[in-house]
Amino acid sequence: MSIFYEIEFAKYILPYRKVVNVTADEKVMVDGKLDMSLVNAIAFDPYTHGYYLVNKRVGEAFKDGLQLK
């Protein structure tokens, strides 16, 4: 379930959603936390009309980008 909000930003109105509930099968949980490597998630790329698996960690948020400075 999600709640729809709109943010006015300059000339644009940006829609966004607030997550109010998340469920996961026990098979994808490790020590009470979601393990993304166990989730068979897919993502859709609207530019190439392709689906991609999303289950491999490729970086560390807030750290890897600092190397580009």
Side-chain angles (χ1 to χ4, degrees):
M1 177 185 213
S2 62
I3 300 170
F4 184 78
Y5 292 93
E6 288 184 352
I7 301 174
E8 189 171 339
F9 180 75
K11 296 181 182 179
Y12 307 99
I13 295 177
L14 305 173
Y16 75 98
R17 296 188 181 266
K18 176 183 176 184
V19 176
V20 294
N21 187 23
V22 175
T23 60
D25 192 303
E26 290 292 325
K27 293 183 280 188
V28 298
M29 304 292 286
V30 175
D31 297 326
K33 297 180 182 178
L34 181 69
D35 184 340
M36 282 301 294
S37 68
L38 301 174
V39 176
N40 289 323
I42 60 171
F44 175 67
D45 178 5
Y47 299 104
T48 65
H49 300 143
Y51 291 99
Y52 297 88
L53 287 175
V54 183
N55 63 355
K56 181 180 175 186
R57 186 182 182 122
V58 295
E60 185 70 31
F62 308 108
K63 286 186 179 181
D64 292 342
L66 295 174
Q67 298 172 15
L68 301 174
K69 286 187 172 185

